[in-house]
């Protein structure tokens, strides 16, 4: 609005000066009407750029050949051209400017000349500069908007990546807490209970110590489940790669405290992620046998068939029935299998006992 007001003021002052410098010439209607039309139209240039451009150009085309004074209303034409180009109507601005120059050239060539060649080229340069300046400012503004949009997208991507990494880290912590602490502490609980049952004829001090071990391990398991409940949300995706190894399978079996009948028939070493996931699933399945079943013996089978590694862990004890807790052991095994595109099914056997079957694609 300030630019428009400034141009209108310059046109008005210029028209007054033109009248004062030619005192013997009487103005006609065009000397009064056309400057008012141009000045009034300029205030609408942002709302209707093409319409204002046409009105101003027609007024200029009629003013200079037919009006008796030479006021600077061409400034209005330059501002209208710049505005149209700046608002994206570059083709319209170029077409109107070219039509004006063509009309001037035809008129000057066919009759009395009003401008010489130098002034004609100067006007042509002004018109071209106005159109080019509008196009440059529009491109500059579009460039800045694109830079801001990309910066906003990059910031959003960084925030999303930070949230994703935080989620993965939370799931990793939950998985490792369960795999390491849950496995070891549950075994302490089982072995302490067995020792407590077998030494009732021992001194009371030993019995009290074992009882304390059992209670402490039970409380630790309760605290562990509470921690997992905070870290591991039900709406989270599958965790990332596991962190154990089949190379430690003998140690896993030994530490389970169970008599395990193993049938391992694996050919070439499997991919690392399959190797690690299989070890963790076996470890967790044997831990569940120790924790939830009275069976003292389990069967373990690892075989390759149809491009898959099939892991089976089963026992003959009473069927496992989860009467409480969150079941993070089975959930964790299923997540590990799903993370690799496999499946895991766990449940009671029809003939008694419990079975875990995992299929991991090789």
């Amino acid at each position: 609005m300030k630019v428009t007001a400034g141009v209108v003021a310059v046109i008005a002052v210029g028209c007054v000066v033109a009248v004062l410098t030619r005192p013997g010439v009487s103005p006609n209607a065009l000397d009064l009407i056309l400057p008012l039309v141009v000045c009034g139209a300029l205030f609408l240039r942002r709302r209707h750029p093409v319409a204002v451009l046409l009105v101003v150009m027609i007024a200029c085309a009629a003013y200079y050949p037919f009006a008796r004074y030479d006021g600077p209303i061409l400034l209005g034409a330059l501002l209208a051209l710049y505005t149209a180009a700046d608002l994206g109507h570059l083709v319209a601005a170029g077409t109107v400017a070219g039509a004006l120059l063509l009309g001037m050239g035809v008129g000057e060539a066919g009759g009395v000349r009003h401008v010489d060649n130098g002034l004609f080229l100067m006007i042509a340069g002004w018109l071209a500069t106005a159109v080019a300046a509008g196009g440059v400012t529009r491109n500059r503004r579009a460039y800045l908007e694109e830079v801001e949009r990309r910066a906003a997208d990059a910031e959003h991507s960084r925030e999303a990546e930070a949230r994703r990494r935080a989620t993965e880290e939370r799931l990793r912590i939950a998985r490792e807490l369960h795999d390491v602490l849950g496995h070891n502490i549950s075994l302490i609980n089982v072995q302490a209970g067995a020792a407590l049952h077998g030494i009732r004829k021992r001194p009371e001090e030993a019995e009290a110590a074992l009882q304390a071990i059992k209670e402490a391990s039970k409380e630790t398991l309760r605290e562990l489940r509470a921690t997992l409940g905070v870290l591991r949300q039900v709406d989270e995706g599958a965790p990332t790669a596991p962190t154990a190894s089949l190379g430690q399978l003998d140690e896993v079996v030994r530490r389970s405290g169970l008599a395990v009948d193993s049938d391992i028939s694996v050919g070439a070493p499997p991919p690392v992620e399959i190797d690690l996931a299989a070890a963790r699933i076996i470890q967790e399945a044997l831990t569940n046998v120790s924790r939830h079943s009275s069976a003292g013996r389990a069967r373990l089978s690892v075989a390759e068939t149809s491009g898959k590694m099939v892991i089976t862990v089963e026992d003959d004890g009473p069927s496992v029935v989860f009467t409480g807790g969150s079941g993070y052991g089975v959930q964790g095994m299923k997540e590990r299998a799903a993370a690799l595109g496999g499946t895991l099914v766990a449940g009671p056997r029809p003939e008694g006992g419990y079975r875990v079957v995992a299929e991991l694609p090789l």
Side-chain angles (χ1 to χ4, degrees):
M1 186 61 69
K2 292 181 179 180
V3 174
T4 302
V7 173
V8 168
V10 171
I11 293 175
V13 172
C15 290
V16 172
V17 171
V19 172
L20 295 178
T21 55
R22 301 182 65 183
V25 179
S26 300
N28 59 21
L30 297 180
D31 286 300
L32 301 176
I33 296 175
L34 293 181
L36 292 177
V37 170
V38 171
C39 292
L42 289 178
F43 286 100
L44 301 176
R45 63 191 179 94
R46 290 289 178 183
R47 295 183 181 178
H48 310 286
V50 177
V52 169
L53 175 62
L54 293 175
V55 170
V56 171
M57 285 302 182
I58 293 174
C60 289
Y63 179 80
Y64 287 104
F66 303 110
R68 296 180 179 180
Y69 296 106
D70 293 330
I73 69 171
L74 185 61
L75 291 177
L78 298 179
L79 182 59
L81 283 172
Y82 169 83
T83 303
D86 180 62
L87 295 180
H89 305 285
L90 188 61
V91 175
T95 302
V96 172
L100 180 63
L101 290 175
L102 180 62
M104 288 181 60
V106 173
E108 293 295 315
V112 179
R113 301 198 63 178
H114 299 82
V115 297
D116 57 16
N117 293 337
L119 182 57
F120 180 82
L121 293 177
M122 184 181 296
I123 294 173
W126 289 345
L127 297 178
T129 300
V131 175
V136 169
T137 56
R138 175 174 176 79
N139 291 336
R140 173 66 176 175
R141 186 169 60 252
Y143 170 76
L144 294 177
E145 291 175 355
E146 179 66 16
V147 170
E148 292 177 357
R149 186 189 65 80
R150 290 185 178 182
D153 291 343
E155 181 66 21
H156 178 73
S157 299
R158 284 194 294 269
E159 293 176 357
E161 179 66 15
R163 288 194 299 267
R164 184 187 67 82
R165 290 182 179 274
T167 298
E168 290 181 352
E169 182 65 13
R170 183 176 63 183
L171 292 176
R172 185 191 66 81
I173 293 172
R175 186 178 66 246
E176 296 307 318
L177 278 174
H178 186 276
D179 289 343
V180 178
L181 297 179
H183 176 69
N184 293 333
I185 295 176
S186 64
L187 291 180
I188 291 173
N189 189 31
V190 171
Q191 298 299 335
L196 180 62
H197 178 73
I199 62 169
R200 293 192 180 277
K201 296 182 180 181
R202 301 287 181 88
E204 294 183 357
E205 291 79 8
E207 183 176 349
L210 290 175
Q211 181 66 34
I213 292 174
K214 180 176 175 60
E215 293 299 326
S217 61
K218 183 177 180 181
E219 179 66 17
T220 303
L221 284 172
R222 188 187 66 80
E223 293 294 335
L224 176 61
R225 291 191 182 97
T227 303
L228 291 176
V230 175
L231 292 175
R232 210 170 198 171
Q233 304 296 329
V234 295
D235 59 345
E236 296 291 350
T240 53
T243 55
S245 172
L246 272 180
Q248 303 172 348
L249 186 57
D250 292 340
E251 179 65 17
V252 170
V253 171
R254 186 188 66 81
R255 289 173 61 85
S256 68
L258 297 170
V260 179
D261 298 327
S262 300
D263 181 11
I264 312 297
S265 56
V266 179
V272 175
E273 62 273 15
I274 301 296
D275 182 21
L276 302 180
R280 282 302 194 194
I281 290 173
I282 292 171
Q283 181 188 56
E284 182 59 38
L286 294 177
T287 298
N288 286 343
V289 174
S290 298
R291 184 187 304 171
H292 300 292
S293 174
S294 61
R297 179 175 293 273
R299 289 183 295 276
L300 168 63
S301 172
V302 181
E304 294 181 8
T305 176
S306 302
K308 297 180 179 180
M309 176 180 289
V310 180
I311 302 168
T312 304
V313 179
E314 56 186 3
D315 65 85
D316 295 327
S319 297
V320 177
V321 178
F322 291 103
T323 58
S326 303
Y328 288 132
V330 175
Q331 176 184 334
M333 289 190 292
K334 289 183 178 180
E335 288 177 351
R336 290 182 186 281
L340 299 173
T343 60
L344 185 140
V345 178
R349 302 169 60 206
E351 61 273 24
Y354 200 78
R355 177 186 292 122
V356 174
V357 179
E359 295 185 358
L360 305 179
L362 295 173

